């Protein structure tokens, strides 16, 4: 059963130095507030897993939380590069960053394997690309029925997965809708899952296409209105595209980033 | 009437898509061209984005691959594992519409690093969905600005396979899709030679010379014997393109 607790308590209890942590949300429902809380609590040496490490991981990397990044696309969507990630990779600032790089299809299937309790997943992928030369978690496997050679990717099982959702009920059952991304798989693949929600309601009225995460697969639920901003929460608020553009200038320079970071650390979640 | 090279590129790319096709759309230039095609000659074009939106009809251009406007206007919204495993992987999608930082003479695409992988000169975003889009769609159309830095003899990193090192590579590797059939740039159009799979110049946009293309191409690009000249943008194409707005801009 999920405990409904304030976010600082959920992070403090379930996110530890050295953990493998996945914050998921594919453009939509990105758990920014949780990432910021991890920054405030100064977690270190995390292996950060995420298909699209965009602003939230740029911030966490710049803040020194990460030792390793497992990902498939690292950019500021529609805007450009992640300058803090680039700085960590090229100059080791503020800490060296190791990477493990996949394609989206590979990462999605790694979560599927993790959620399914399997050691690996099979897909038609990576063929003819240079990625397998650099990524140990890609291999090939022969189909026992047809003899066909296919790509195999090892399962992802984060210590903690954190996602954001529209709402939970008082028992901690969670409902999310709109673009569902890979959140269900990332939650079910993890040892512990934390969900931040826009609100708690008495009854989870069914919504077409909604994903429901039962309370008994979650460790904690925290109520954080606006917790996905500047990404968006379908039906609650829109993506703040201007903020994504502004991040480019803030993150380009260590000084402006550090000023941003100090301001964030001074704010309470 | 005048137009920019970028506008010509978007219009030429839009023309390459046919009504009724299912198109897996990359963000940026491909997304702009695909949405232009849907507003012009291809109202039945099925747009699919890797965020899991199928048959989406946004009235403004998305900034990211998963903007809310894509979900709001989609026929169906599915999970990321589903979009790759059920929709892309089996070969249901007609056209993969991609861009990149580098493309080489065999249509291989690099979006990973410029320079060596371990100590790159420039770290790029990485793969995203492109490797499997390039592998599994029935054909791939690439849209890119034509510069010497981008059109290279050999990509520094094969993020997404085009024709590998020659005409038999895709077949030997067991890939089902035909790979890149066209590269549409702001200068013209390149297509793989049927025998060698090497990209050759098959069309020039109006006002562009072969010398300009050669100057911006990192290999001695061959020119097709049937070199075409791209039709100038129509007034409708230009006005439709110029009326398109990106969300939140």
């Amino acid at each position: 059963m999920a405990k409904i607790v304030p976010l600082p308590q959920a992070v403090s209890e379930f996110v530890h130095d050295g953990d493998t942590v996945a914050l998921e949300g594919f453009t939509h429902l990105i758990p920014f507030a949780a990432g910021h809380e991890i920054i405030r609590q100064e977690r270190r040496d995390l292996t950060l897993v995420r298909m699209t490490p965009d602003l939230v991981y740029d911030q966490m990397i710049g803040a020194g939380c990460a030792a390793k990044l497992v990902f498939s696309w690292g950019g500021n969507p529609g805007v450009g590069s992640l300058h803090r990630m680039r700085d960590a990779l090229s100059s080791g600032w503020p800490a060296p960053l190791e990477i493990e790089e996949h394609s989206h299809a590979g990462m999605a299937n790694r979560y599927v394997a993790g959620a399914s309790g399997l050691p690996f997943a099979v897909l038609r992928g990576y063929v003819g690309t240079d990625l397998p030369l650099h990524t140990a978690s890609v291999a090939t496997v022969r189909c026992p029925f047809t003899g066909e050679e296919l790509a195999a990717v090892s399962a992802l099982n984060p210590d903690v997965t954190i996602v954001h959702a529209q709402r939970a009920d008082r028992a901690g059952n969670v409902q999310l809708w709109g673009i569902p991304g890979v959140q269900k798989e990332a939650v079910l693949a993890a040892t512990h899952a934390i969900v931040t929600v826009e609100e708690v309601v008495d009854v989870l009225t069914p919504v077409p296409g909604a994903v429901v995460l039962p309370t008994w697969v979650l460790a904690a639920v925290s109520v954080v209105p606006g917790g996905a901003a500047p990404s968006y929460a379908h039906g609650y608020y829109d993506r703040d595209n201007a903020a994504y553009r502004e991040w480019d200038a803030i993150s380009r320079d260590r000084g402006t980033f550090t000023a941003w970071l100090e301001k964030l650390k001074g704010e309470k979640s | 009437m005048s137009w920019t090279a970028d506008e010509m590129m978007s219009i030429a790319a839009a023309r390459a898509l046919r009504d009724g096709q299912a198109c897996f759309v990359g963000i940026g230039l491909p997304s702009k061209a695909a949405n232009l095609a849907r507003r012009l000659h291809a109202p039945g074009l099925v747009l699919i984005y890797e965020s899991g939106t199928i048959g989406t009809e946004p009235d403004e251009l998305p900034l990211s691959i998963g903007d809310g406007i894509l979900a709001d206007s989609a026929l169906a919204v599915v999970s990321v594992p589903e979009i790759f495993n059920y929709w892309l992987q089996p070969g249901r999608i007609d056209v993969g519409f991609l861009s990149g930082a580098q493309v080489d003479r065999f249509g291989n695409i690099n979006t990973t690093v410029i320079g060596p992988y371990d100590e790159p000169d420039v770290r790029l975003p990485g793969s995203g969905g492109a490797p499997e889009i390039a592998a599994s769609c029935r054909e791939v159309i690439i849209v890119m600005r034509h510069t010497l830095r981008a059109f290279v003899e050999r990509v520094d990193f094969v993020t997404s396979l085009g024709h590998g090192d020659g005409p038999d590579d895709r077949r030997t590797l067991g890939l089902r899709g035909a790979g890149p059939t066209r590269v549409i740039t702001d200068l013209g159009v390149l297509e793989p030679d049927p025998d060698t799979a090497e990209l050759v110049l098959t069309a020039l946009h109006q006002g562009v010379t072969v010398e300009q293309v050669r100057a911006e191409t990192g290999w001695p690009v061959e020119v097709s014997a049937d070199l075409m000249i791209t039709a100038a943008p129509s007034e409708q194409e230009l006005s439709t393109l110029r009326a398109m707005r990106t969300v939140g801009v």
Side-chain angles (χ1 to χ4, degrees):
Chain A
M1 294 285 283
K3 301 186 280 192
I4 300 185
V5 295
L7 178 59
Q9 187 185 332
V11 167
S12 152
E13 198 168 329
F14 294 106
V15 183
H16 308 111
D17 287 357
D19 276 357
T20 297
V21 180
L23 273 66
E24 278 298 349
F26 203 90
T27 307
H28 177 217
L29 294 175
I30 298 173
F32 270 91
H36 293 169
E37 183 56 29
I38 291 171
I39 291 174
R40 279 190 209 99
Q41 295 194 19
E42 300 189 329
R43 288 294 177 276
R44 291 292 177 266
D45 297 320
L46 302 177
T47 292
L48 291 179
V49 184
R50 178 168 165 72
M51 292 183 64
T52 55
D54 52 7
L55 271 54
V56 65
Y57 274 18
D58 207 36
Q59 294 164 354
M60 293 173 75
I61 290 165
C65 302
K68 183 175 177 183
L69 177 67
V70 182
F71 75 110
S72 43
W73 192 88
N76 183 346
V79 178
S81 302
L82 295 180
H83 302 295
R84 294 300 95 223
M85 172 185 158
R86 274 188 169 184
D87 200 12
L89 287 173
S90 62
S91 311
W93 192 93
L97 185 68
E98 191 188 332
I99 54 171
E100 179 180 331
E101 185 165 6
H102 281 268
S103 69
H104 277 352
M107 282 290 281
N109 278 288
R110 297 187 73 196
Y111 279 125
V112 169
S116 307
L118 291 169
F120 70 94
V122 173
L123 71 153
R124 295 182 192 284
Y126 300 94
V127 177
T129 76
D130 286 341
L131 268 173
L133 303 174
H134 302 278
T135 304
S137 44
V138 182
T140 53
V141 64
R142 190 170 292 282
C143 170
F145 305 104
T146 65
E148 192 179 358
E149 208 162 80
L150 297 158
V153 286
S154 65
L156 271 172
N157 290 108
D159 296 311
V160 192
T161 289
I162 307 178
V163 302
H164 186 78
Q166 279 93 342
R167 60 195 188 188
D169 65 16
R170 296 189 191 286
N173 297 296
V174 165
Q175 187 187 41
L176 67 89
W177 63 91
I179 289 173
V182 74
Q183 285 97 304
K184 184 198 269 187
E185 291 77 11
V187 162
L188 294 177
T191 308
H192 301 292
I194 300 172
V195 186
T196 54
V197 295
E198 290 295 323
E199 60 175 338
V200 169
V201 295
D202 291 326
V203 177
L204 294 178
T205 310
V207 175
V211 170
V212 172
L213 302 166
T215 181
W216 52 273
V217 299
L218 306 174
V221 171
S222 301
V223 183
V224 187
S231 84
Y232 69 104
H234 208 110
Y236 286 72
Y237 45 91
D238 293 334
R239 191 173 191 267
D240 184 356
N241 281 347
Y244 278 81
R245 288 200 158 84
E246 285 157 14
W247 182 250
D248 192 67
I250 296 168
S251 60
R252 204 173 272 274
D253 176 80
R254 288 179 189 173
T256 52
F257 169 75
T258 303
W260 174 89
L261 184 63
E262 291 311 315
K263 184 163 175 287
L264 178 84
K265 285 179 166 177
E267 291 166 2
K268 280 225 167 80
S269 76
Chain B
M1 204 168 42
S2 66
W3 56 87
T4 67
D6 261 13
E7 286 174 334
M8 183 71 253
M9 171 171 59
S10 291
I11 289 165
R15 287 174 185 163
L17 299 171
R18 297 195 300 279
D19 198 20
Q21 285 183 314
C23 178
F24 210 108
V25 189
I27 205 66
L29 296 171
S31 178
K32 188 179 224 182
N35 278 287
L36 178 61
R38 200 173 55 74
R39 284 163 173 74
L40 292 167
H41 60 280
L45 186 67
V46 179
L47 300 187
I48 299 168
Y49 288 77
E50 63 193 20
S51 56
T53 53
I54 298 176
T56 184
E57 301 181 342
D59 54 19
E60 292 184 298
L61 291 175
L63 182 67
S64 86
I65 214 89
D67 277 18
I69 196 169
L70 295 174
D72 279 333
S73 63
L75 178 66
V77 181
V78 303
S79 73
V80 170
E82 179 174 332
I83 200 73
F84 285 107
N85 287 352
Y86 297 179
W87 297 92
L88 178 62
Q89 183 167 257
R92 277 178 228 289
I93 313 295
D94 296 305
V95 183
F97 211 29
L98 296 174
S99 192
Q102 283 184 332
V103 66
D104 69 19
R105 68 197 296 167
F106 291 113
N108 303 300
I109 301 174
N110 175 16
T111 55
T112 303
V113 285
I114 305 294
Y117 185 76
D118 292 323
E119 287 188 34
D121 302 323
V122 183
R123 175 66 225 193
L124 301 165
S127 304
E132 283 76 24
I133 295 171
S136 295
C137 290
R138 295 199 177 100
E139 65 175 315
V140 174
I141 297 175
I142 300 169
V143 195
M144 272 174 70
R145 292 191 184 92
H146 207 137
T147 67
L148 193 56
R149 282 173 60 190
F151 282 68
V152 295
E153 164 85 30
R154 178 74 190 170
V155 286
D156 294 348
F157 189 99
V158 180
T159 311
S160 304
L161 190 74
H163 297 286
D165 292 313
D168 299 323
D169 274 21
R170 291 185 70 91
R171 197 169 46 241
T172 309
L173 290 166
L175 293 175
R176 296 156 164 195
T181 54
R182 246 170 299 183
V183 180
I184 296 164
T185 81
D186 49 351
L187 299 182
V189 180
L190 297 94
E191 296 177 44
D193 179 276
D195 296 325
T196 66
E198 182 176 317
L199 293 175
V200 299
L201 183 68
T202 56
L204 282 174
H205 300 328
Q206 295 217 346
V208 179
T209 65
V210 171
E211 286 65 38
Q212 269 176 282
V213 171
R214 287 210 165 109
E216 297 293 352
T217 306
W219 70 89
V221 61
E222 305 247 358
V223 179
S224 165
D226 309 313
L227 184 67
M228 311 277 285
I229 302 295
T230 309
S234 71
E235 217 161 292
Q236 192 203 0
E237 286 172 328
L238 271 178
S239 61
T240 307
L241 175 63
R242 289 171 183 172
M244 293 202 304
R245 293 283 170 266
T246 300
V247 175
V249 175

